[in-house]
Amino acid sequence: MFKKIVLVLMTLLIITGFIMSLILQPPKPPASQAFINGTVLTMDSANRVAQAVFVEGDRIQQVGSNEQINALINNDTIIHDLKGKTLLPGFIDAHGHFPGSALATLNVDLNSPPIGKIKTIDEMITALQTKADTTPKGEWILGIGYDDTMLAEHRHPNRLELDAALPDHPVFLMHISGHMGVANSKAFEAAGIDKNTPDPDGGVFAKNADGSLNGLMEENAAIAVQTMAMDFSVFDFLNMIKVASDEYSAFGVTTAQSGAVDIRMAQGLGMAAKLGLTPLRLELWPMFDSLGLSLLDGSDDAQALGNSRSHLGAIKIVADGSIQGYTGYLSHPYHAPYHGDKSYRGYPRVLKNDLIDNVEKFHAAGYQLAIHGNGDASIDDILTAIELAQQKHPRKDARHIIVHAQMSREDQLDTMKALGVTPTFFVAHTYYWGDRHRDIFMGPERAARMSPTASALAKGVPFTIHLDTPVVPMNPLLLVWTAVNRLSSSGSVIGAEQRISVEQALRAVTIDAAWQIHQDNERGSIEAGKLADLVVLASDPRQQPETLKDIAVVCTFVGGAETFSAHH
């Protein structure tokens, strides 16, 4: 009875919050504002640099010199004297999972350095027990971001350890890759999984020598438990949106992406954007086997689910897994044998024939596709599927995306160019996992070629770069720094020949990121007629390539409305 009362009260609270949001409305921009005395990196086709910008409402009206912009100023114009600071288009999240960055804040943060503090399994257990002390018995405990290769024990925690430490709660620990996790016995029981449950296609329930579950679930095997552990209340979901929005805005992000949504996520995020509960523009990618199917058969409508601040874009397919989780699908074996198997190459999450069928049906229906592929064998399958779809149903400028494209070979980049396929590279891997890719997963030669941005640039293959947040924290300037410097967290260079310039890296998080999602006519550069999505930086990143990750974001604007100020 008590739970029902609480549920009713919470529902009333949420409804009240929505009504207040309708009354308050999101912040509106001034009638006009001028940004003067700055270094304006426009990111237009000529990489033009200007001094000043004039904005009316939510649109840029003119870009030019101080003299030109001063002539447009009237008594009501808000004037921003940049005093030499740098104005850029707002950063566009080319691939991520908004509002997932709030997961570690609201649950148990199990990240290791350089992201978090966890270095041992005992420290992990202690953090989980601290959360359990304030969580009613029987409720889920969710841990986020553990990395087995960063723990002193160099292994995953196991089911029996979690059972002993947390006997009163179902527990799920999500690996930093997002492609696997560990559960305790109560979690398996809740999901109806036992030692006799068969492995699903594209997934593995890891077993002990006696055939019992050891707790680790890879890829599709983790979906059932993960779904139950992440069945958040509406209140928790709104809190996540608020926390993530504040974080993204503080780092200059104006367009966030949620790169794998079902109908509930699409509706929830769309409503949040419409009501101004997030100031960000949202790019939502429906999952192919859930919302994608209902869009395909007409039972859901992409335009009805979207609005002026939330857009349903490419259909997302996850073709393989994670290199650092040994589930990325490679053409040649991993550098360090997996459980002693020197021939181990990972495996596809979607079988090749199924991938071909799915790509064809969405391509034929006119959808853009965004297909996750880390290993080069997976990228081979993806390119084959796209090529076959194009042969059967020719389309101009389909602009299909390969997400991560981490181990792309030179010949695969040539094929991408021929097919009009655009990769988005998770180049921050060089910082967070570069040393381990070199020493454990890929070996020196392949690690040096991971996220081959310079090769793509040389071949004329359009690309973007991304952080896959919450896999790593949202910080576009650190992302740009990784593409420019390719330094690991230990300071080692990971593939110097794949470095690109500051201007090229900035384009990959602004205009090229807008182009990749067919939004370059509206955002991504500072040009007359485009939306006034802007970020002010304390200094010019072109002048300090080695330290640009440390440049402060001064303020952020979405549609001319300030969403963050370092002075507030």
Side-chain angles (χ1 to χ4, degrees):
M1 182 65 185
F2 178 73
K3 285 188 176 180
K4 288 184 178 179
I5 292 171
V6 171
L7 183 61
V8 169
L9 289 173
M10 288 300 298
T11 302
L12 289 173
L13 179 63
I14 292 160
I15 291 171
T16 301
F18 280 143
I19 291 171
M20 288 302 294
S21 296
L22 284 169
I23 294 170
L24 294 172
Q25 290 296 310
K28 287 184 167 39
S32 66
Q33 50 191 324
F35 298 82
I36 59 171
N37 296 324
T39 299
V40 181
L41 305 183
T42 65
M43 298 293 119
D44 67 6
S45 59
N47 271 341
R48 188 165 57 109
V49 179
Q51 281 184 310
V53 176
F54 191 76
V55 174
E56 286 185 346
D58 67 346
R59 297 273 172 177
I60 297 164
Q61 293 303 312
Q62 190 164 329
V63 182
S65 66
N66 286 330
E67 184 180 9
Q68 290 171 312
I69 300 309
N70 282 330
L72 301 174
I73 293 174
N74 59 47
N75 291 336
D76 296 324
T77 301
I78 304 295
I79 299 173
H80 305 276
D81 186 349
L82 297 175
K83 298 179 180 178
K85 298 181 182 69
T86 299
L87 185 68
L88 276 162
F91 298 128
I92 295 173
D93 175 19
H95 179 64
H97 301 276
F98 179 87
S101 64
L103 283 170
T105 305
L106 303 176
N107 294 280
V108 186
D109 186 351
L110 301 178
N111 281 284
S112 297
I115 300 172
K117 299 178 179 179
I118 300 295
K119 296 180 180 179
T120 68
I121 289 176
D122 281 347
E123 290 177 359
M124 183 186 302
I125 294 294
T126 299
L128 293 165
Q129 288 175 325
T130 299
K131 178 68 171 179
D133 289 342
T134 58
T135 303
K137 290 183 179 181
E139 292 191 8
W140 283 84
I141 301 291
L142 176 62
I144 301 295
Y146 85 90
D147 187 339
D148 56 303
T149 65
M150 287 295 285
L151 298 173
E153 296 85 353
H154 296 292
R155 65 173 176 83
H156 298 274
N158 63 54
R159 175 177 62 89
L160 295 180
E161 286 171 320
L162 296 179
D163 286 351
L166 300 130
D168 300 320
H169 301 271
V171 178
F172 177 68
L173 313 183
M174 186 186 295
H175 190 260
I176 190 168
S177 67
H179 283 262
M180 59 193 64
V182 175
N184 69 351
S185 294
K186 282 188 176 293
F188 281 119
E189 290 166 10
I193 296 168
D194 61 28
K195 65 180 182 180
N196 298 314
T197 303
D199 290 342
D201 288 341
V204 174
F205 293 111
K207 303 284 181 64
N208 295 310
D210 63 0
S212 61
L213 296 167
N214 75 12
L216 178 64
M217 301 163 287
E218 296 178 358
E219 301 297 336
N220 290 335
I223 290 175
V225 173
Q226 181 174 321
T227 299
M228 296 185 74
M230 298 177 67
D231 185 17
F232 303 119
S233 69
V234 175
F235 181 78
D236 286 339
F237 184 60
L238 294 176
N239 195 14
M240 286 174 62
I241 290 172
K242 172 68 167 64
V243 170
S245 295
D246 289 347
E247 179 187 14
Y248 278 48
S249 297
F251 283 102
V253 177
T254 53
T255 296
Q257 187 190 106
S258 195
V261 302
D262 59 14
I263 183 64
R264 288 177 62 195
M265 278 286 283
Q267 290 172 332
L269 289 172
M271 184 62 69
K274 186 175 183 179
L275 296 177
L277 299 177
T278 174
L280 304 169
R281 304 189 195 280
L282 301 182
E283 176 72 9
L284 312 182
W285 286 355
M287 277 300 289
F288 79 105
D289 54 357
S290 57
L291 179 54
L293 293 177
S294 59
L295 292 172
L296 203 60
D297 68 20
S299 53
D300 281 310
D301 180 75
Q303 287 193 330
L305 287 167
N307 53 64
S308 63
R309 287 296 184 105
S310 178
H311 173 254
L312 261 67
I315 302 296
K316 177 73 176 294
I317 300 176
V318 182
D320 77 339
S322 158
I323 300 293
Q324 65 267 30
Y326 278 97
T327 58
Y329 183 35
L330 301 170
S331 61
H332 293 83
Y334 280 80
H335 181 63
Y338 184 58
H339 295 308
D341 183 355
K342 294 183 178 180
S343 65
Y344 180 82
R345 299 188 293 116
Y347 54 87
R349 183 161 166 163
V350 178
L351 298 177
K352 183 175 181 178
N353 288 339
D354 293 336
L355 181 65
I356 290 170
D357 290 343
N358 279 290
V359 169
E360 181 187 346
K361 67 185 180 185
F362 285 108
H363 174 85
Y367 286 96
Q368 185 182 23
L369 285 151
I371 310 174
H372 167 118
N374 267 314
D376 62 328
S378 183
I379 295 168
D380 277 335
D381 288 352
I382 294 166
L383 292 172
T384 296
I386 292 172
E387 185 172 17
L388 291 172
Q390 279 283 27
Q391 288 172 0
K392 290 184 180 180
H393 313 279
R395 278 174 55 192
K396 290 184 179 179
D397 198 23
R399 220 174 292 185
H400 296 317
I401 303 165
I402 299 183
V403 178
H404 308 322
Q406 191 169 334
M407 303 314 303
S408 300
R409 305 185 307 263
E410 292 287 319
D411 64 296
Q412 290 176 329
L413 292 173
D414 291 333
T415 304
M416 289 181 207
K417 183 175 183 180
L419 293 174
V421 171
T422 170
T424 179
F425 294 116
F426 191 172
V427 72
H429 263 272
T430 54
Y431 176 68
Y432 289 103
W433 286 278
D435 296 321
R436 283 166 287 158
H437 276 274
R438 179 194 62 220
D439 300 336
I440 302 172
F441 307 119
M442 292 290 96
E445 184 177 341
R446 283 185 292 178
R449 278 199 44 77
M450 61 195 271
S451 298
T453 48
S455 290
L457 191 69
K459 292 175 181 293
V461 177
F463 66 88
T464 64
I465 56 178
H466 67 267
L467 289 158
D468 203 17
T469 304
V471 173
V472 300
M474 177 50 67
N475 187 341
L477 286 175
L478 184 141
L479 172 62
V480 168
W481 174 86
T482 64
V484 171
N485 295 281
R486 291 183 70 98
L487 293 175
S488 72
S489 57
S490 74
S492 299
V493 177
I494 308 295
E497 67 279 4
Q498 291 299 335
R499 288 169 168 164
I500 58 176
S501 72
V502 174
E503 290 91 341
Q504 290 156 351
L506 287 171
R507 291 185 70 85
V509 294
T510 55
I511 187 60
D512 294 341
W515 173 87
Q516 194 171 69
I517 56 172
H518 297 273
Q519 297 291 322
D520 50 311
N521 62 324
E522 283 282 279
R523 67 189 87 160
S525 60
I526 300 177
E527 297 181 79
K530 287 193 172 182
L531 291 162
D533 293 358
L534 307 166
V535 59
V536 178
L537 303 182
S539 56
D540 185 346
R542 299 174 306 164
Q543 304 306 316
Q544 51 185 101
E546 293 87 4
T547 58
L548 71 85
K549 65 181 174 64
D550 302 317
I551 296 172
V553 172
V554 177
C555 48
T556 307
F557 299 82
V558 177
E562 189 177 73
T563 60
F564 168 77
S565 172
H567 303 303
H568 293 172

